[in-house]
């Protein structure tokens, strides 16, 4: 049996200035992506246009010859070679200043690999589709620094990132290399301090240099870091993704690739479906034929947290530290529930419609408060690890799951304070348990009366 590669996501919390940089980085990547695709169409159509010249034309606001989707193109071998041999020196100035070398070479090698599938003429729309760039490959140009920060080539300051907001083992996997680097810097620092103590003040300059040292991909490689392959560990692929959060605001995140070794999780062996209901009164209620398990809420956060000043790195960090503390209050219970859920062959989870909940829910603060305590992590972590255990995950439309009786399919009521569900035929039952059992049965529309 082979290992499983997972894509683990950590949200970034950049300052205003860092956001501007991330946006330029993304748009430079998008510009490069679309220029390369248009160039491939043009050379496939028999036009003579060096890649370097095409990139400069686009960077200066010009356009490339347009080739329609249905035109048959055949990209010549010489163009494959041009992709493979280009270095970031071929990038026009504005892009060269923004895009890390890693990004440029990775994007071009992805194109070159993709082209290998087309060794005879095919429609331009298939050979070189003009889709938007889904993710910007950064690979070794981005690295975890500690549980709260990443560093990116070309950025002066580290960016606050929620590296802690993953199952514990996966956060550890991301931080393994960061730890190795930190230990090396620490031991070098101790040596220098000993020299200075011994009277060699000349070493102070070296000490200052060390204080500014950021781990570089090259140094990590040279350090001969060997991850423990029997544990989850990070592989070199990492990308920047632009997305929107539950309130519809622009957000950036890093997608890391982690390798999960065979045998890390037991295979799903319980031949039943587990239904999980998320809430605020109780973060999660899971129900199967055999029983129920819950994650109880330990603190009331309906007041929310003050928004950090988006230009202050220190406030963004403090905000992350409080959020981590709130999640950590529930972490043991959440991780236990996730592990238990992954023993089931099938898990039914609520499809969370955050914007809908905010707009139409009785308690508009509820989604934010649930997110603050880590309730969505239950859904995210089970979905993330399901391929490892072989668990099938079904996302269930949660509408009516709280007002439909899981036993008879009849419509019932959830009177205030919402702790009980009352079915006219079957009587009262615990509202969260009733919700979990309804989710366990799947989409209400298919079985309710
Ligand atoms: Zn009933």
């Amino acid at each position: 049996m082979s290992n499983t590669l997972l894509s683990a996501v950590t949200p970034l919390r950049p300052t205003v200035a860092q956001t501007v940089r991330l946006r330029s980085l993304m748009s430079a990547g998008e510009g490069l992506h679309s220029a390369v695709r248009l160039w491939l169409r043009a050379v496939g159509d028999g036009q003579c246009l060096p890649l370097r010249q095409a990139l400069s034309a686009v960077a200066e606001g010009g356009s490339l010859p347009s080739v329609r989707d249905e035109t048959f193109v055949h990209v010549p071998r010489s163009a494959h070679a041009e992709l493979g041999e280009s270095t970031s020196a071929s990038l026009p100035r504005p892009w060269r200043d923004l895009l890390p070398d890693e990004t440029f070479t990775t994007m071009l090698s992805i194109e070159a690999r993709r082209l290998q599938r087309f060794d005879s003429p095919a429609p331009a729309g298939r050979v070189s589709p003009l889709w938007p760039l889904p993710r910007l490959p950064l690979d070794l140009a981005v690295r975890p620094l500690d549980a709260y920060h990443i560093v990116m080539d070309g950025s002066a300051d580290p960016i606050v990132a929620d590296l802690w907001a993953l199952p514990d083992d996966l956060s550890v996997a991301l931080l393994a290399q960061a730890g190795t680097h930190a230990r090396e810097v620490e031991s070098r620092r101790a040596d220098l301090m000993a020299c200075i103590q011994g009277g060699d003040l000349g070493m102070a300059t070296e000490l200052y240099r060390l204080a500014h040292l950021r781990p570089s991909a090259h140094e990590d490689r040279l350090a001969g870091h060997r991850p423990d392959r029997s544990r989850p560990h990070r592989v070199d692929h990492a990308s920047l993704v632009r997305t929107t959060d539950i309130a519809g605001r622009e957000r950036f995140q890093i997608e890391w690739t982690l390798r999960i070794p065979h045998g890390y999780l037991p295979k799903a062996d319980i031949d039943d479906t587990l239904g999980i209901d998320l809430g605020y009164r109780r973060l999660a209620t899971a129900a199967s034929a055999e029983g129920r398990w819950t994650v109880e809420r330990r603190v009331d956060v309906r007041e929310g947290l003050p928004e950090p000043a988006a230009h202050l790195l220190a406030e963004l960090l403090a905000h992350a530290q409080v959020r981590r503390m709130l999640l950590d209050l529930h972490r043991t219970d959440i991780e236990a529930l996730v592990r238990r859920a992954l023993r089931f062959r099938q898990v039914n989870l609520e499809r969370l419609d955050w914007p809908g909940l905010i707009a139409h829910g009785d308690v508009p603060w509820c989604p934010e408060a649930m997110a603050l305590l880590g309730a969505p992590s239950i859904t995210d972590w089970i979905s993330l690890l399901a391929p490892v255990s072989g668990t099938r995950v079904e996302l269930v439309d949660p509408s009516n799951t709280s007002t439909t009786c899981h036993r008879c399919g009849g419509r019932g009521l959830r009177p205030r304070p919402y702790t009980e569900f009352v079915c006219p035929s079957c009587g009262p039952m615990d509202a969260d348990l009733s919700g979990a059992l309804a989710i366990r049965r799947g989409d209400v529309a298919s079985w309710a009366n």
Side-chain angles (χ1 to χ4, degrees), residues 404-411 421-427 429 449:
T404 308
C405 174
H406 71 275
R407 234 176 263 154
C408 70
R411 292 301 288 266
F421 168 76
V422 186
C423 170
S425 319
C426 313
M429 58 192 96
N449 294 324

Side-chain angles (χ1 to χ4, degrees), residues 8-14 18 21-22 25-26 98-106 135-146 148-163 173-178 181 214-221 234-241 252-258:
V9 169
T10 53
L12 302 184
R13 314 282 172 175
Q18 289 169 337
R21 196 189 127 68
L22 290 171
L25 188 62
M26 270 319 273
L98 276 167
L99 289 174
D101 289 358
E102 286 280 334
T103 300
F104 181 72
T105 47
T106 307
R135 49 183 56 72
L136 184 76
L138 289 171
D139 296 355
L140 295 174
V142 62
R143 296 169 302 284
L145 187 63
D146 57 37
Y148 296 103
H149 296 100
I150 57 148
V151 279
M152 220 184 255
D153 283 357
S155 280
D157 299 319
I159 300 177
V160 173
D162 297 349
L163 292 130
L174 286 181
L175 293 171
Q177 279 165 309
H181 177 77
R214 299 253 178 261
S216 87
H218 192 57
E219 283 160 346
D220 278 352
R221 284 279 171 88
R234 193 188 146 203
V235 296
D236 290 343
H237 192 59
S239 311
L240 177 68
V241 178
F252 290 95
Q253 57 194 32
I254 299 285
E255 277 183 15
W256 313 94
T257 304
L258 296 176

Side-chain angles (χ1 to χ4, degrees), residues 106-247:
T106 307
M107 282 176 70
L108 263 50
S109 73
I110 290 172
E111 290 300 323
R113 271 205 308 276
R114 217 176 42 76
L115 282 178
Q116 286 169 0
R117 278 183 275 147
F118 302 97
D119 52 4
S120 55
R126 276 183 55 219
V127 178
S128 183
L130 300 179
W131 296 327
L133 180 71
R135 49 183 56 72
L136 184 76
L138 289 171
D139 296 355
L140 295 174
V142 62
R143 296 169 302 284
L145 187 63
D146 57 37
Y148 296 103
H149 296 100
I150 57 148
V151 279
M152 220 184 255
D153 283 357
S155 280
D157 299 319
I159 300 177
V160 173
D162 297 349
L163 292 130
W164 46 270
L166 284 170
D168 207 33
D169 284 348
L170 304 193
S171 290
V172 168
L174 286 181
L175 293 171
Q177 279 165 309
T180 307
H181 177 77
R183 276 193 299 279
E184 281 162 19
V185 171
E186 191 45 46
S187 106
R188 177 83 183 118
R189 203 184 68 88
D191 292 347
L192 290 171
M193 289 302 270
C195 293
I196 295 168
Q197 216 168 12
D200 186 358
L201 279 178
M203 284 297 168
T205 316
E206 177 63 11
L207 193 66
Y208 293 161
R209 197 187 67 77
L210 199 67
H212 292 283
L213 195 66
R214 299 253 178 261
S216 87
H218 192 57
E219 283 160 346
D220 278 352
R221 284 279 171 88
L222 288 181
H225 174 66
R226 295 273 181 277
D228 176 357
R229 292 189 169 270
S230 66
R231 308 285 308 157
H233 54 275
R234 193 188 146 203
V235 296
D236 290 343
H237 192 59
S239 311
L240 177 68
V241 178
R242 180 163 32 191
T243 175
T244 46
D245 72 358
I246 62 178

Side-chain angles (χ1 to χ4, degrees), residues 237-320:
H237 192 59
S239 311
L240 177 68
V241 178
R242 180 163 32 191
T243 175
T244 46
D245 72 358
I246 62 178
R249 290 167 297 207
E250 175 192 44
R251 291 286 186 234
F252 290 95
Q253 57 194 32
I254 299 285
E255 277 183 15
W256 313 94
T257 304
L258 296 176
R259 182 175 282 123
I260 311 293
H262 173 62
Y264 167 68
L265 281 179
K267 285 287 161 200
D269 56 358
I270 303 176
D271 202 7
D272 187 9
T273 299
L274 185 72
I276 302 183
D277 177 64
L278 300 183
Y280 184 68
R281 198 170 59 86
R282 191 176 273 144
L283 288 190
T285 306
S288 75
E290 298 301 317
R292 66 180 259 186
W293 303 273
T294 59
V295 175
E296 299 294 332
R297 176 165 59 78
R298 294 173 190 272
V299 60
D300 191 353
V301 294
R302 72 185 67 191
E303 299 284 316
L305 283 177
E307 274 296 305
H311 61 288
L312 291 177
L313 202 60
E315 281 199 24
L316 291 165
L317 175 61
H319 191 259

